[in-house]
Amino acid sequence: MAAPVNIIVGSHVWVEDPVLAWIDGEVFRINGQEVHVHITNGKTVVTNISKVFPKDTEAPPGGVDDMTKLSYLHEPGVLQNLATRYELNEIYTYTGNILIAVNPFQRLPHLYDTHMMEQYKGATFGELSPHVFAVADVAFRAMMNEGKSNSILVSGESGAGKTETTKMLMRYLAYLGGRSGVEGRTVEQQVLESNPVLEAFGNAKTVRNNNSSRFGKFVEIQFDKNGRISGAAIRTYLLERSRVCQISDPERNYHCFYLLCAAPPEEREKYKLGNPKSFHYLNQSNCYELDGVNDAHEYLATRRAMDVVGISEEEQEAIFRVVAAVLHLGNIEFAKGKEIDSSIIKDEESRFHLNMTAELLNCDAKGLEDAMIKRVMVTPEEVITRPLDPDSALGSRDALAKTIYSRLFDWLVNKINDSIGQDPNSKSLIGVLDIYGFESFKFNSFEQFCINFTNEKLQQHFNQHVFKMEQEEYTKEEINWSYIEFVDNQDVLDLIEKKPGGIIALLDEACMFPKSTHETFAQKLYQTFKNNKRFIKPKLSRTSFSISHYAGEVTYLADLFLDKNKDYVVAEHQDLLSASKCPFVASLFPLLPEESSKSSKFSSIGSRFKLQLQSLMETLNSTEPHYIRCVKPNNVLKPAIFENLNIIQQLRCGGVLEAIRISCAGYPTRRTFYEFLLRFGVLAPEVLEGNYDDKVACQMILDKKGLKGYQVGKTKVFLRAGQMAELDARRAEVLGNAARIIQRQIRTYIARKEFMALRKAAIQLQSQWRGKLACKLYEQMRREASAVRIQKNLRRYTARKSYLTVWSTAITLQTGLRAMTARNEFRFRKQTKAAILIQAHLRCHRAYSYYKSLQKAAIVSQCGWRRRVARRELRKLKMAARETGALKEAKDKLEKRVEELTWRLQFEKRLRTDLEEAKAQEIAKFQDALHEMQLQVEEANARVIKEQEAARKAIEEAPPVIKETPVIVQDTEKIDLLTAEVESLKALLLSESKAAEEARKASTDAEARNAELVKKLEDADRKMDQLQDSMQRLEEKLSNSESENQVLRQQALAMSPTRKAVSALPKPTIVQRTPENGNIVNGEMKVASDLTLSISNPRETESEEKPQKSLNEKQQENQDLLIRCITQNLGFSGSKPVAACVIYKCLLHWRSFEVERTSVFDRIIQTIASAIEVHDNNDVLAYWLSNSSTLLLLLQHTLKASGAASLTPQRRRATSASLFGRMSQGLRTPPQSAGISFLNGRMLGRPDDLRQVEAKYPALLFKQQLTAFLEKIYGMIRDSLKKEIAPLIGLCIQAPRTSRASLVKGRSQANAVAQQALMAHWQSIVKSLNSYLKTMKANYVPPFLVRKVFTQIFSFINVQLFNSLLLRRECCSFSNGEYVKSGLAELEQWCSYATEEYAGSAWDELKHIRQAVEFLVIHQKPKKTLNEIMKELCPVLSIQQLYRISTMYWDDKYGTHSVSSEVISSMRIMMTEASNNSVSSSFLLDDDSSIPFTVDDISKSMKQVDTDVDPPSLIRENSSFVFLLQRSE
């Protein structure tokens, strides 16, 4: 990470800061190696040029999701990127394939719900935003595809979120291959439920952390061959045993000791426990309690957790007895004995603790005492027992305590593993390693040495993996990487673990010599490693030493190294506890082989630690590793606080900066050709103008600038460290020159603009003055013109007045003459019309009278003949029915009743006809009278008006009298005559008015009588309907009686030897009559008789030739024929599906809906099921969707559950309650009765009227099965379309990334081709939609179902596009918004083409993606307020979705910014409130795959179906299906 030398004045750089770690500024002066920088806090800093790093001023405002994409891969760039993303709640960031997770210290449930898991399932690594699910998915896919086990290494200091990350990993792995565990608890739940127990016994407070894991945990999740979780195991490594006996201030021992001391009083009394301060193993530190933690509550929680993982009450009791025994054991002290180098129990208090320890462990107190103060030595000659001095006795005591606690911890782990359950047959696993991170405190002891040794080992593994990934990247891009050096830390590992001569080996050697001290050990280290560059001797200490680790230099205090490393395996301890009367304690110390139990052996914790670490590394090396580095952003554990120095330290300890160092050793900067040309194309404009390939263009730019050492791969440009800064400096120079040119042009423009404004003002002033002169001239000319106009108008008025006088006189004369001529003409026409009208009425009356007489005679003749024929038929029936004498009396009564009802029916019809005729005649008479009166009134009024007009004109035409003259008698007489005529006309008018009033009254009376007659007629109609209903019921009874008679006669014939003679009798025929006049329908008699013969004769012939075939066999044949028929594609008749109509009419005719047991329904369902097995044939699916929906509609209108309430009379008519009806339910209508049933159906009304029948269970079950198949076929069509367009949607989402590169160079032809390629994916979607629409239209699928299909498809498109927009930052850009908007326009155009009948509200389903796209392409986003965005721009989007799209937005076209920081802050506050109110915080949409309709919806939306169709050719000629030929009238 050496600083580049391309720092110039004006460069933006990062400078070290003691508070913020790094702070940005601008270089304003360079003096040799000194750089003067103005930093952003207003200060000026002078530093060496090697300590500043360039800043990428064009970095995206939201950071990059993979830090290998950073232009400058160095420490401040990484820190700034993490801070930027953390501020936007983007807590995950990649560094290559390493995931960095920054703890948000708040709930972010939208990141971990099922929607998010679904999105990451199977997604390519790096395709979506960084996430812990992506790492788990990569590990799972690698395990399934390659069959190799994988491991995920989760590291970080406590509080960084390792446990939560591990929990999410296991949740996702369970989602991918999960099955339920024992008693409904999944494997990952059981693993997580074990955490409280392991934390209580394996976690402790350290300097930095209140709950630090002091052991390594490797969770193995085992999978079977199908990728399903089959078991799990927890492997623990490197438990810090020395902590049991020795702790430093202000740390604590393991939590379980303090929990037991805070147990309920009865528990403490039982174990004789008290305040933690009274125990030696706890009072070495002054810290006894943790802030915010209640140990009493935690004790109860731990007991509950033990219950959950399956530890019984007895085992829990034994566990805490052992824990209490360890505490009492630590309080046993020793004093010098009487003998040399011997020891005894110091005092009574120590004796009390000794006895309590023995009591709790159920062992002998004397034996326990001897095991601690004596040691047995086995020699070839004899066994020697020697005493131990007090110091050795204390060592023996501590060794026993560490051994007991270590065995107890191992037992807990094994118990948890037994509870979870392991799969011994598992061939592959995914391991999750959760282990303590690198530690560097003010005072570091043996524990930190072991922990940092572990992290050095893991870092070496990590470095090898990172270097391997780098190699794979270089190999994939086919570049030369052979000379790149690998950054390794093997020298540090040799310093620590090498044999002989390593620190651990020297420590074990020192522990084996009784005279060794920490000073001698430290001096030995100084002498051995004085030339090792990784080992440093502090100047002011004689017992400390420092090691230069990968994460920095750490100084260790060697004072307690020897004591903490000693770990004797004492045979006396083993023998004592193996003989314990407590089974639990004895099980912790199983008997050892004879040879290994004879004497004590030295064992060191360091060596054991090294062996366990070696075992862990072997496990990791056998798996494919994946890395997650957890980071704690602050020490106060609160959200939105990012402490730079703390983060930098963790990045160093986590090896992230080491990985960056490895990357910098090779090619730290990598850019795709498109990105490189977009950024540095300005350095060589001629290259962009030429028609060069992208790779060639990049090569030409680099060669032009004279760079050396770079590499050009297949898709990327690889730059060495410093080359990016050099290119940026050249680019800044070019852009600076361009800026100066732009400034010059702008200044020219401003000067010219000022000159043009001055010139314009002068011209305007001149124009104003000239305009004033012109106004004066215009005023004078206007006055002259006005005078001329006044003269002209006055002369015109005088001439017009004279003309109008002459014109009025002429008009008056013409009017009088024309009026006289018109009156004469009108009078003549009126007389002629009256004569014609009288003649017409007379001729009409004469013809109508003659017609009525003929009609009456014809009806009488027809009735007489029909009565004669009916009596003849009745006599025949009586003769045929004499054998069944029991029915004779009933039939006679019915015949009489029929005759009586027939007579009453005819009487009512005649009465109704007479009433109608009388009513029509009376109405016509009144209308004629009224019309004549109205004409007379109008004539009288006209005459009066004309006479008045004539009188007025005569008066006006009389010349005026100017002088006195004698009165002429003739004029007076004329006036008198006129006056008399006027009076007579008035009288006539009065009389005519009275006549008109009388006519009006008569008309009113006639209307009243007419209303009474209408009411009577309606009553008569009602009675007529009732009589007709009664008549039809009786006819049905008669038909049933005839059918019963026929069945009984057949039975009698079967027993009678004369059945042939009887069978030769003609069959009865019942013929329908019209309700109006009782006439036979045209041709009905002939059809009926022919049909009867055609049906009955073959049956008679067959009965003569061979035995009668059973009804069930015939019924089975008909069903087989129907099934064979519907197996074929019968097509459509008009818009009606033939198969559905045929099935319905057959089932209705056979009365299959009313039987208790039948197989026809199952066979129809099986036929449909076999037809739709071909998933890819959409035509077949659409065909059966149309048929099933039509058939279901018919059933919905027809079927009624048995036992339903009252029926209407018409429906009740259709139900047969007779003996024959009951027989037909079990036997089906025989072929010879088909004609009767057919004619009976004709009598009851239209055969296709959807009359309801009482359905039995099979029919109702058939309806339910048909409903299920309809929903299945609908779902298959919808899912098939989804499957077809899903890859196209994926291409639409990825298209901007893959095709945008061709738009860089600005060539019009290339742009046109690229735009056409971009739109091809949308057009493919439209093509698929058109194809499905055409198929469904061709098969007449109901528009209601078509609308539902496309509504759900558009909802699917909305979900996929919207979720991808919010999950992929590269999609959330301005250009992509434009692209998606143009694609949505294609879909909108398709909706208008499909019309609302088929598209419905599909366009409205795209509201989320439409509003999101509008947000992306709108300009001036920083000026938008939150209210405008939420209420006007994006009212449908939730606050989580708005926040996500606002923070992920980047403008790749114009470089504009997203919404303002104030709006982002307001959104964050609203999101916090929403999460506190338990509102769903997921920003992803969920695809709805339910069935969006019910049977009632189909029934309401579809039109009534007419079932009249032409029967298929297969059954058209079959006599059993002749009923299909019937047509409704």
Side-chain angles (χ1 to χ4, degrees), residues 160-226:
K162 297 194 300 296
T163 302
E164 195 68 23
T165 300
T166 305
K167 187 187 302 182
M168 294 306 163
L169 286 169
M170 288 191 286
R171 268 192 61 201
Y172 185 77
L173 293 174
Y175 172 78
L176 290 179
R179 65 166 176 79
S180 296
V182 183
E183 300 176 359
R185 286 156 51 235
T186 60
V187 170
E188 82 277 4
Q189 284 176 332
Q190 296 178 72
V191 173
L192 295 174
E193 285 164 356
S194 68
N195 278 347
V197 179
L198 293 178
E199 287 180 1
F201 289 86
N203 287 23
K205 179 190 183 307
T206 61
V207 175
R208 287 189 186 166
N209 200 331
N210 289 348
N211 189 31
S212 176
S213 298
R214 309 317 294 169
F215 66 100
K217 181 172 67 175
F218 189 71
V219 181
E220 294 179 356
I221 303 175
Q222 299 160 346
F223 295 83
D224 59 17
K225 61 182 179 181
N226 297 321

Side-chain angles (χ1 to χ4, degrees), residues 1498-1519:
I1498 297 177
S1499 178
K1500 293 175 184 177
S1501 62
M1502 291 177 61
K1503 298 178 181 178
Q1504 184 64 46
V1505 179
D1506 180 11
T1507 56
D1508 285 344
V1509 294
D1510 291 331
S1513 58
L1514 187 63
I1515 60 175
R1516 184 181 298 130
E1517 304 301 331
N1518 192 300
S1519 60

Side-chain angles (χ1 to χ4, degrees), residues 106-327:
Q106 60 178 323
R107 293 173 61 251
L108 298 175
H110 63 278
L111 284 180
Y112 308 107
D113 55 14
T114 308
H115 301 112
M116 194 66 79
M117 291 185 185
E118 184 64 32
Q119 293 295 326
Y120 281 89
K121 184 178 180 180
T124 305
F125 187 80
E127 181 180 355
L128 301 180
S129 298
H131 204 289
V132 65
F133 292 162
V135 177
D137 192 80
V138 168
F140 182 81
R141 302 295 165 198
M143 178 192 73
M144 295 301 298
N145 296 335
E146 302 171 10
K148 183 180 179 181
S149 297
N150 282 250
S151 60
I152 302 174
L153 282 68
V154 183
S155 64
E157 66 177 59
S158 295
K162 297 194 300 296
T163 302
E164 195 68 23
T165 300
T166 305
K167 187 187 302 182
M168 294 306 163
L169 286 169
M170 288 191 286
R171 268 192 61 201
Y172 185 77
L173 293 174
Y175 172 78
L176 290 179
R179 65 166 176 79
S180 296
V182 183
E183 300 176 359
R185 286 156 51 235
T186 60
V187 170
E188 82 277 4
Q189 284 176 332
Q190 296 178 72
V191 173
L192 295 174
E193 285 164 356
S194 68
N195 278 347
V197 179
L198 293 178
E199 287 180 1
F201 289 86
N203 287 23
K205 179 190 183 307
T206 61
V207 175
R208 287 189 186 166
N209 200 331
N210 289 348
N211 189 31
S212 176
S213 298
R214 309 317 294 169
F215 66 100
K217 181 172 67 175
F218 189 71
V219 181
E220 294 179 356
I221 303 175
Q222 299 160 346
F223 295 83
D224 59 17
K225 61 182 179 181
N226 297 321
R228 300 173 65 85
I229 293 179
S230 57
I234 298 176
R235 315 289 182 205
T236 56
Y237 296 92
L238 314 175
L239 177 70
E240 192 180 319
R241 291 160 53 111
S242 61
R243 182 172 290 271
V244 177
C245 305
Q246 293 163 321
I247 55 176
S248 317
D249 196 27
E251 296 186 353
R252 290 205 322 173
N253 212 318
Y254 290 106
H255 293 323
C256 59
F257 297 119
Y258 302 92
L259 301 184
L260 189 57
C261 290
E266 60 273 13
E267 297 276 335
R268 286 181 288 171
E269 179 62 29
K270 182 167 57 175
Y271 302 133
K272 297 296 187 291
L273 297 177
N275 194 301
K277 296 180 181 179
S278 61
F279 293 100
H280 171 67
Y281 285 165
L282 305 183
N283 60 18
Q284 300 173 41
S285 167
N286 292 322
C287 180
Y288 300 101
E289 295 179 354
L290 300 178
D291 294 336
V293 178
N294 187 321
D295 287 331
H297 292 166
E298 291 298 318
Y299 171 77
L300 298 177
T302 303
R303 294 295 292 257
R304 286 193 295 270
M306 288 179 165
D307 293 334
V308 169
V309 298
I311 301 176
S312 65
E313 284 290 334
E314 294 78 9
E315 290 171 334
Q316 293 181 36
E317 178 76 18
I319 289 170
F320 285 105
R321 287 172 65 90
V322 172
V323 173
V326 171
L327 288 178

Side-chain angles (χ1 to χ4, degrees), residues 289-502:
E289 295 179 354
L290 300 178
D291 294 336
V293 178
N294 187 321
D295 287 331
H297 292 166
E298 291 298 318
Y299 171 77
L300 298 177
T302 303
R303 294 295 292 257
R304 286 193 295 270
M306 288 179 165
D307 293 334
V308 169
V309 298
I311 301 176
S312 65
E313 284 290 334
E314 294 78 9
E315 290 171 334
Q316 293 181 36
E317 178 76 18
I319 289 170
F320 285 105
R321 287 172 65 90
V322 172
V323 173
V326 171
L327 288 178
H328 285 292
L329 187 64
N331 279 11
I332 301 175
E333 297 181 359
F334 303 95
K336 288 185 178 181
K338 297 179 181 178
E339 300 178 7
I340 300 173
D341 291 335
S342 67
S343 58
I344 59 172
I345 302 299
K346 183 177 181 180
D347 50 25
E348 286 303 318
E349 182 179 354
S350 297
R351 178 71 60 182
F352 166 76
H353 288 295
L354 173 68
N355 294 333
M356 276 306 303
T357 303
E359 180 184 342
L360 292 171
L361 295 177
N362 268 356
C363 63
D364 180 53
K366 180 61 177 172
L368 178 61
E369 179 182 353
D370 291 342
M372 288 188 289
I373 64 176
K374 295 179 181 179
R375 191 69 72 242
V376 176
M377 300 181 66
V378 180
T379 64
E381 294 80 14
E382 60 180 342
V383 177
I384 302 172
T385 301
R386 69 177 182 86
L388 299 177
D389 60 20
D391 292 337
S392 300
L394 288 176
S396 177
R397 177 201 70 184
D398 291 344
L400 176 60
K402 288 186 283 188
T403 302
I404 291 174
Y405 193 83
S406 175
R407 298 284 182 92
L408 174 63
F409 187 78
D410 293 339
W411 183 91
L412 282 171
V413 173
N414 292 331
K415 182 68 177 178
I416 290 170
N417 285 335
D418 293 340
S419 172
I420 296 173
Q422 302 180 48
D423 181 9
N425 299 320
S426 175
K427 299 299 182 184
S428 54
L429 60 88
I430 293 179
V432 181
L433 178 65
D434 179 359
I435 200 166
Y436 31 57
F438 193 90
E439 292 185 353
S440 177
F441 303 142
K442 184 176 181 181
F443 301 104
N444 300 285
S445 187
F446 182 68
E447 296 86 355
Q448 282 70 45
F449 176 78
C450 293
I451 289 170
N452 293 342
F453 171 44
T454 303
N455 280 275
E456 282 286 357
K457 272 283 190 183
L458 292 174
Q459 185 63 32
Q460 184 186 46
H461 185 265
F462 175 66
N463 290 350
Q464 291 171 350
H465 173 73
V466 171
F467 190 67
K468 179 183 175 184
M469 292 299 103
E470 289 284 311
Q471 287 179 349
E472 289 179 358
E473 174 75 8
Y474 298 156
T475 304
K476 185 176 73 173
E477 290 290 330
E478 298 179 359
I479 66 172
N480 181 20
W481 52 272
S482 57
Y483 58 89
I484 299 175
E485 295 183 0
F486 171 51
V487 180
D488 197 4
N489 61 342
Q490 184 62 44
D491 52 349
V492 181
L493 295 175
D494 292 342
L495 172 68
I496 296 174
E497 66 174 347
K498 188 175 181 181
K499 278 190 175 183

Side-chain angles (χ1 to χ4, degrees), residues 908-921:
E908 291 291 344
K909 289 177 179 177
R910 284 197 297 274
L911 179 61
R912 180 176 179 181
T913 304
D914 295 342
L915 284 173
E916 289 178 352
E917 290 176 357
K919 178 178 70 173
Q921 291 175 1

Side-chain angles (χ1 to χ4, degrees), residues 486-549:
F486 171 51
V487 180
D488 197 4
N489 61 342
Q490 184 62 44
D491 52 349
V492 181
L493 295 175
D494 292 342
L495 172 68
I496 296 174
E497 66 174 347
K498 188 175 181 181
K499 278 190 175 183
I503 293 177
I504 293 178
L506 294 177
L507 181 61
D508 290 348
E509 181 183 336
C511 290
M512 294 175 69
F513 291 98
K515 302 297 183 180
S516 295
T517 63
H518 51 274
E519 288 91 351
T520 59
F521 169 65
Q523 293 301 322
K524 182 70 172 176
L525 292 179
Y526 299 156
Q527 293 172 8
T528 306
F529 304 116
K530 60 183 178 180
N531 296 323
N532 194 312
K533 62 180 181 179
R534 292 281 193 170
F535 185 89
I536 303 167
K537 177 185 179 300
K539 295 180 180 179
L540 302 178
S541 175
R542 298 185 59 187
T543 59
S544 299
F545 63 93
S546 298
I547 297 178
S548 179
H549 291 285

